[in-house]
Amino acid sequence: MISSPIWLPATLMAGGMQAWRTAVQRRVGKSLSINGAGLVRYLYGLPFALLMLAAYRLTFPAPFPSVGGLFLLFCLAGGLAQIIATNLLLMAFHHRNFVVGTAYSKTEAVQSAILSFLLMGERLSAPSLCGIGCGVGGIMLLSTGGRRMGPLDFLKALGQPAALYGIASGFFFALTAIGIRRAAQEVGGSDPIHAALIVLAVTVALQTVMQGGYLLLRESGEMRRVLASWRVSGQVGFLSAAGSACWFTGFATAPVALVRIVGQVEVAFTLAFGHFYLGERMKRSEAVGLMLVALGVILALAGAL
């Protein structure tokens, strides 16, 4: 059920910020390990998450809601799933280019639809389901990287590391969305932005402890490089916190699968960043795939409105 129209602009903003953050984070990842590159978004994002929550509460004063153990459990589960998903996505980048690695992970739209139905009973309209199919088709076309591939070639490509890491990343991103939505529901209240910012602050704090603790135990020397990269990593942290605030607002106010379908506009931003920021050329198949993704988003919106 859609509880507020704010989910749409929040989701569109989230897509743009996530593409920007991922592009910057990939550059950071060239000098850090996978776990180090993953930590920067939480360690440097936490101050911004806390600042956004404090600023919002000062602007719109309200009693702080009482939350229980389930809230923390859902924040922990969603945060851990996001850590795994992010690391898998960074691993995919090591095998294919920025655009293709992201494209594989965006199968999360169809995975979110299946998981949210099985775990939460959320249903979508027929146009929205058609939008999922269209969007996934466009993403699969993007995933070919401009090569001519028949059905058999495509099936073989799905067994490559980039595909496996990307699809697994999409699965855990879908679990992240479900965990965050359930955490926001535990907060309750009539202000979804307030709930989303509370979930964000708690989740990022837990993620910082989890991944930071792992890094100190297993890659202690990497922590020094993470701290030394503060100039660029600070940008990652800000973009991550701002983008997550938008994502979490979407998850708090609309079905998970619908948010993820519309969130596929991130692919358009990804192509733009891949072309202008990372110097990767856009191929004809990527342009066609992008149009299919856009059509999928339009169908999803038609089914939701």
Side-chain angles (χ1 to χ4, degrees), residues 125 127-132 134 294-304:
S125 65
S128 293
L129 291 174
C130 290
I132 290 178
C134 189
L295 178 59
V297 171
I298 293 171
L299 287 172
L301 288 175

Side-chain angles (χ1 to χ4, degrees), residues 11-304:
T11 301
L12 295 175
M13 290 176 62
M17 289 183 183
Q18 181 165 313
W20 188 0
R21 186 263 303 161
T22 305
V24 177
Q25 189 173 25
R26 190 188 178 196
R27 285 197 165 183
V28 174
K30 292 180 179 179
S31 60
L32 299 173
S33 70
I34 289 175
N35 287 301
L39 176 62
V40 298
R41 65 179 296 186
Y42 313 125
L43 178 64
Y44 290 96
L46 181 57
F48 293 109
L50 294 173
L51 183 61
M52 285 190 290
L53 176 59
Y56 192 84
R57 288 185 55 79
L58 285 173
T59 306
F60 304 100
F64 202 88
S66 59
V67 293
L70 280 178
F71 166 78
L72 290 175
L73 179 61
F74 286 127
C75 286
L76 181 65
L80 180 58
Q82 189 177 44
I83 288 174
I84 296 172
T86 300
N87 284 5
L88 287 168
L89 181 58
L90 292 172
M91 291 167 72
F93 289 160
H94 285 292
H95 294 276
R96 294 291 296 278
N97 70 29
F98 173 68
V99 170
V100 172
T102 302
Y104 277 121
S105 73
K106 299 314 289 182
T107 56
E108 67 177 294
V110 67
Q111 297 187 70
S112 292
I114 296 171
L115 290 174
S116 61
F117 171 73
L118 293 175
L119 299 178
M120 302 179 66
E122 293 183 346
R123 298 174 182 270
L124 295 177
S125 65
S128 293
L129 291 174
C130 290
I132 290 178
C134 189
V136 170
I139 287 174
M140 289 300 97
L141 184 58
L142 285 169
S143 72
T144 64
R147 294 177 297 164
R148 293 181 178 275
M149 298 176 65
L152 184 59
D153 295 324
F154 183 73
L155 290 175
K156 290 180 179 178
L158 288 176
Q160 298 300 312
L164 296 177
Y165 287 135
I167 292 171
S169 172
F171 174 77
F172 281 100
F173 274 129
L175 290 180
T176 298
I178 292 172
I180 296 307
R181 178 161 173 78
R182 287 293 290 114
Q185 290 174 343
E186 289 296 317
V187 174
S190 59
D191 188 345
I193 299 178
H194 187 214
L197 291 176
I198 291 173
V199 175
L200 173 64
V202 173
T203 302
V204 174
L206 291 170
Q207 289 172 316
T208 301
V209 172
M210 286 188 287
Q211 189 142 18
Y214 178 87
L215 207 66
L216 286 172
L217 289 173
R218 302 298 297 272
E219 304 177 35
S220 58
E222 193 67 17
M223 182 62 77
R224 290 192 295 272
R225 286 187 282 273
V226 169
L227 296 176
S229 69
W230 64 270
R231 287 182 177 83
V232 179
S233 293
Q235 299 175 44
V236 175
F238 169 74
L239 293 168
S240 178
S244 292
C246 293
W247 280 122
F248 288 16
T249 299
F251 296 144
T253 52
V256 167
L258 186 60
V259 173
R260 283 308 193 192
I261 297 165
V262 175
Q264 288 180 339
V265 296
E266 177 197 347
V267 175
F269 296 117
T270 298
L271 285 167
F273 279 113
H275 178 68
F276 294 107
Y277 187 71
L278 299 175
E280 296 176 351
R281 297 182 60 187
M282 183 183 298
K283 302 177 178 64
R284 182 179 300 176
S285 64
E286 291 174 340
V288 175
L290 178 59
M291 288 189 287
L292 286 173
V293 169
L295 178 59
V297 171
I298 293 171
L299 287 172
L301 288 175

